[in-house]
Amino acid sequence: MAKNWAIAIGINQYNNLQHLNYAKLDALAMRDWFEKEVRFDRVFLFTEDSIAIPTSPPIPTQPTYANLRRFLRANFEKPLLAPGDNLWFFFAGHGCRSADRDYLMLMDSDPGDVEHTAIPVDFVTQRLRRSGADNVVLFLDACRDEGSRRGEGIGEEHQGVVTFYSCSPSQRSYEIEQLQHGSFTQALLDGLRIAGEGNCATVERLERYLQWRVPTINQTHRKTPQHPYAIAEPATKLHLILLPDYATLHDIATMKLDAYQAEVKKEWELARQLWIRVNVAARGSDMQAIEAFSRIPQRLRESSVPPKNPEVITLPRGNRSVVSEPAPTAHQAGLQVFQFEIVKVNASGQEVKRDTSKAQYFTEDLGNDVSLEMIAIPSGKFLMGSPSEEGSNYEKPQHEVTVQSFLMSKYSVTQAQWKRVAALPKVNLDLEADPSYFKGDKRPVEQVSWNNAVEFCDRLSKYTNKQYRLPSEAEWEYACRAGTTTPFHFGETITTELANYCGDYTYASEPKGKNRRETIEVGSFPPNAFGLYDMHGNVLEWCQDTWHNSYKGAPRDGSAWMNNDNQYCILRGGSWINDPVDCRSASRYDNGWTKRGNFNCLIGFRVVCAVGRTL
């Protein structure tokens, strides 16, 4: 059985900094949650009047520089925990950044001599990792001072751990008098207590909840926004299961895939850690994990002396369509022009601007009175991914990408279009004529696997003598943004009058909206500036690319980023069931290409066709 330890620190009284009101209460509340609600094995509390740790000699727990440094040094010099165990670290108090390092400010820290009187977060993580636990999670409710701060706020990546930050480096973390807590700590406790559907059992889901809940609390209590976020190192730890009792089968399956991928990359220690987490979540009874515990040592032995016929772990592969893409020119495509209105809203969801725009397109006749409208997307450059204060680690680093012109379908592929193409001669795979759960010729087709979407493109290419394919992830985001840099092409937020998503949740300060609980006909809302409809919500859309946990090393020419050892491909745009945060221009999902996937009636796609330089 996995062990669970925690450290909770809350500092109200500072010798050289402004006092705080509720940091101690935050630490006490977290201590109570650790001890009484999830029954951690050991909890160490550091406040102004906490009792000493009963060692020989006892270790004082007043959170001064000397006391905390001694505690971390003396108690975590030798491994006391084991792989699969958890060690959580909670800090409520002042924090700052100096000389490119994050620091926690203690009772006696001197803001004029941070390097010698404050504890570097890197030192904390290094000592905690010596505990032997491979799951070290930090919650830093810092940057709380209301006055001036020395240096920037904290918020960097720390090796080998998951770190939750209460706000971006440019923001303050607020205390709420009516709650007697910091807004981050209150949101954290709220999220950790959610059971059943919508729980925060994984790092990724807890981060999403905090990104919604903290701004909501601040808005309610008339504080300026603060945007919490998490950084995981390695990025696979975003899938880490924090609360095994609440984990779903999908959570476990996702960690299994991460473990397999680590084995493929020969990252044996990471693979072992992930399989341990899988087995803990499965209460020690997962046969695939048990088999991995035997397999990994064997792989390690084999890697030291290469065998004559090495056996490798392979993951299921789909048939991939590789095309040279001879492109029709604008003249060959017979482009026409249509006009439309584009809408902009503010953070409250109020319309602030409405303009008329136009775009070029051509119509592909599919026969039987079914057509496919393709919009001309001009070439250009854009920043792909989300900025530091928005989104998850999966969407970073933000980077410039140059995209060549192409044509993209005006709408997600409809059921009428799917039925027509599914009736064309087979290229590689059989296609089900009517796979969708929600029926309607003008609704998007769903319950479509990546392989089947590629087969659709192959049949369409053969029928039209043009080269159709799925968009690259860069092309999709470029087309979605349509020249914008805001979270949505509509502006700072969206509403259910502009997109089909779960209106029970909000993104900024807009009111809650409708929860339609199904797809709706394509083109029901205004398009973006390129003339593309439903880029936010309705159905998730397949891209060509395979999944990568970040954009480190991503191509910058708009091409698809492929890894044939990875069976998961990219989904974009959010769906009718998703919260608005999941429908942003930068938001990204992954799912398996060889099956319909875990989301079934949430998944559709749209197609692209290359064009000549004359566009």
Side-chain angles (χ1 to χ4, degrees):
M1 188 69 179
K3 292 181 181 178
N4 299 292
W5 286 18
I7 301 165
I9 303 170
I11 307 173
N12 282 350
Q13 303 298 316
Y14 280 87
N15 297 341
N16 304 301
L17 291 165
Q18 180 179 343
H19 293 338
L20 298 174
N21 297 314
Y22 308 118
K24 176 182 172 181
L25 289 177
D26 288 343
L28 291 173
M30 290 301 300
R31 186 271 314 270
D32 290 345
W33 183 81
F34 288 131
E35 289 185 341
K36 299 175 183 178
E37 297 187 46
V38 288
R39 300 187 182 281
F40 270 32
D41 300 280
R42 295 199 68 178
V43 181
F44 303 96
L45 177 68
F46 285 77
T47 68
E48 292 100 77
D49 54 3
S50 51
I51 63 173
I53 298 171
T55 58
S56 182
I59 297 178
T61 58
Q62 286 62 55
T64 64
Y65 175 83
N67 287 348
L68 185 59
R69 190 175 181 90
R70 180 194 167 198
F71 168 77
L72 293 171
R73 181 186 56 76
N75 287 273
F76 298 102
E77 183 63 31
K78 296 180 180 179
L80 299 174
L81 298 174
D85 292 343
N86 301 293
L87 180 53
W88 292 28
F89 179 93
F90 173 84
F91 177 87
H94 289 303
C96 78
R97 185 167 176 80
S98 177
D100 295 324
R101 298 184 77 185
D102 287 348
Y103 288 87
L104 303 180
M105 303 296 283
L106 304 174
M107 291 178 64
D108 54 350
S109 294
D110 180 357
D113 188 15
V114 172
E115 289 81 0
H116 299 100
T117 63
I119 295 285
V121 178
D122 278 339
F123 176 79
V124 175
T125 62
Q126 290 165 11
R127 305 310 297 185
L128 297 185
R129 290 178 66 201
R130 292 193 182 192
S131 69
D134 55 28
N135 303 306
V136 176
V137 184
L138 279 65
F139 297 92
L140 304 182
D141 195 353
C143 304
R144 285 181 166 219
D145 42 342
E146 298 288 342
S148 61
R149 290 197 309 272
R150 184 185 188 278
E152 301 173 355
I154 64 176
E156 66 177 355
E157 178 182 294
H158 299 287
Q159 191 72 20
V161 303
V162 176
T163 309
F164 285 85
Y165 292 99
S166 61
C167 60
S168 75
S170 62
Q171 297 174 329
R172 288 201 297 265
S173 183
Y174 283 96
E175 297 190 313
I176 308 297
E177 182 179 0
Q178 295 89 331
L179 300 176
Q180 304 281 286
H181 283 305
S183 55
F184 174 79
T185 300
Q186 182 64 58
L188 176 60
L189 288 165
D190 292 345
L192 293 172
R193 286 170 173 151
I194 297 173
E197 186 176 355
N199 68 62
C200 298
T202 67
V203 171
E204 187 173 26
R205 288 208 296 280
L206 180 58
E207 179 190 25
R208 289 177 181 172
Y209 177 83
L210 293 172
Q211 288 175 340
W212 163 75
R213 181 67 177 141
V214 173
T216 301
I217 291 174
N218 281 21
Q219 180 186 1
T220 300
H221 297 281
R222 300 187 178 184
K223 300 292 186 181
T224 56
Q226 67 181 82
H227 299 288
Y229 62 100
I231 297 179
E233 201 292 318
T236 52
K237 287 201 172 184
L238 283 170
H239 296 150
L240 180 68
I241 296 172
L242 297 170
L243 304 172
D245 288 347
Y246 298 157
T248 66
L249 292 176
H250 176 63
D251 297 335
I252 296 174
T254 299
M255 288 198 70
K256 284 183 179 181
L257 182 65
D258 289 340
Y260 276 123
Q261 290 174 340
E263 288 191 57
V264 168
K265 297 175 183 177
K266 299 183 180 180
E267 296 173 348
W268 305 117
E269 180 57 28
L270 175 60
R272 185 180 65 85
Q273 292 176 11
L274 291 169
W275 280 120
I276 290 171
R277 295 304 299 161
V278 168
N279 208 37
V280 169
R283 303 294 188 274
S285 60
D286 190 278
M287 289 307 301
Q288 290 176 305
I290 294 169
E291 290 169 1
F293 297 148
S294 299
R295 179 174 63 244
I296 290 173
Q298 177 65 25
R299 295 291 188 271
L300 281 167
R301 289 192 293 271
E302 291 172 355
S303 63
S304 61
V305 180
K308 293 181 181 179
N309 296 299
E311 178 186 355
V312 295
I313 298 168
T314 58
L315 299 175
R317 299 190 181 195
N319 297 319
R320 296 190 172 274
S321 175
V322 181
V323 296
S324 57
E325 297 187 330
T329 65
H331 175 73
Q332 290 169 333
L335 293 178
Q336 299 173 289
V337 176
F338 80 104
Q339 288 191 335
F340 51 90
E341 286 191 330
I342 54 177
V343 175
K344 296 294 180 183
V345 297
N346 60 21
S348 298
Q350 298 171 328
E351 183 177 321
V352 294
K353 192 175 183 182
R354 184 178 287 259
D355 288 326
T356 300
S357 187
K358 60 184 179 180
Q360 293 180 308
Y361 75 102
F362 83 89
T363 301
E364 192 77 81
D365 185 1
L366 303 181
N368 294 348
D369 295 323
V370 178
S371 61
L372 175 68
E373 292 179 291
M374 299 294 295
I375 304 296
I377 309 299
S379 59
K381 296 180 179 181
F382 79 112
L383 282 178
M384 185 175 182
S386 61
S388 59
E389 69 275 8
E390 178 196 326
S392 71
N393 207 37
Y394 293 150
E395 302 162 13
K396 297 176 176 62
Q398 199 173 44
H399 58 292
E400 185 178 275
V401 178
T402 300
V403 178
Q404 299 302 318
S405 57
F406 59 97
L407 294 151
M408 176 175 267
S409 54
K410 188 176 186 179
Y411 312 108
S412 304
V413 171
T414 66
Q415 293 176 37
Q417 292 164 347
W418 175 271
K419 290 173 186 175
R420 176 61 191 137
V421 173
L424 297 174
K426 170 182 175 180
V427 177
N428 293 304
L429 300 174
D430 294 323
L431 292 180
E432 186 178 346
D434 189 16
S436 301
Y437 180 79
F438 300 111
K439 305 298 183 184
D441 282 349
K442 292 185 179 180
R443 293 194 191 203
V445 68
E446 14 93 357
Q447 299 202 124
V448 176
S449 73
W450 187 93
N451 282 339
N452 288 343
V454 169
E455 175 69 16
F456 179 97
C457 295
D458 290 343
R459 294 190 191 190
L460 184 60
S461 298
K462 190 171 182 180
Y463 176 77
T464 62
N465 200 31
K466 301 184 182 80
Q467 289 291 350
Y468 282 91
R469 57 173 173 79
L470 295 175
S472 71
E473 187 179 14
E475 288 172 333
W476 193 99
E477 185 173 329
Y478 175 74
C480 176
R481 289 189 179 279
T484 63
T485 57
T486 47
F488 307 89
H489 65 68
F490 292 113
E492 294 297 328
T493 191
I494 53 174
T495 71
T496 56
E497 301 305 311
L498 298 174
N500 183 23
Y501 62 92
C502 179
D504 295 339
Y505 299 93
T506 60
Y507 180 77
S509 54
E510 78 280 7
K512 291 183 179 181
K514 301 173 184 176
N515 184 355
R516 298 179 176 92
R517 295 183 169 85
E518 60 181 341
T519 61
I520 61 173
E521 291 187 358
V522 300
S524 297
F525 303 108
N528 68 9
F530 284 161
L532 298 170
Y533 290 77
D534 307 314
M535 298 299 283
H536 301 305
N538 217 18
V539 288
L540 289 152
E541 296 180 357
W542 286 117
C543 295
Q544 274 190 307
D545 310 53
T546 51
W547 177 257
H548 295 79
N549 286 325
S550 75
Y551 289 131
K552 293 178 181 177
R556 294 174 178 263
D557 61 357
S559 61
W561 193 13
M562 311 295 286
N563 175 2
N564 288 333
D565 291 325
N566 189 342
Q567 70 161 338
Y568 272 34
C569 289
I570 300 295
L571 290 164
R572 283 302 204 118
S575 76
W576 56 270
I577 202 173
N578 287 112
D579 301 351
V581 69
D582 301 323
C583 300
R584 292 171 297 109
S585 299
S587 183
R588 54 201 301 260
Y589 279 86
D590 62 311
N591 209 338
W593 73 52
T594 59
K595 53 186 181 297
R596 289 182 181 177
N598 299 303
F599 299 109
N600 290 334
C601 55
L602 312 185
I603 297 178
F605 67 105
R606 68 180 73 212
V607 297
V608 303
C609 179
V611 298
R613 295 296 179 90
T614 56
L615 237 184

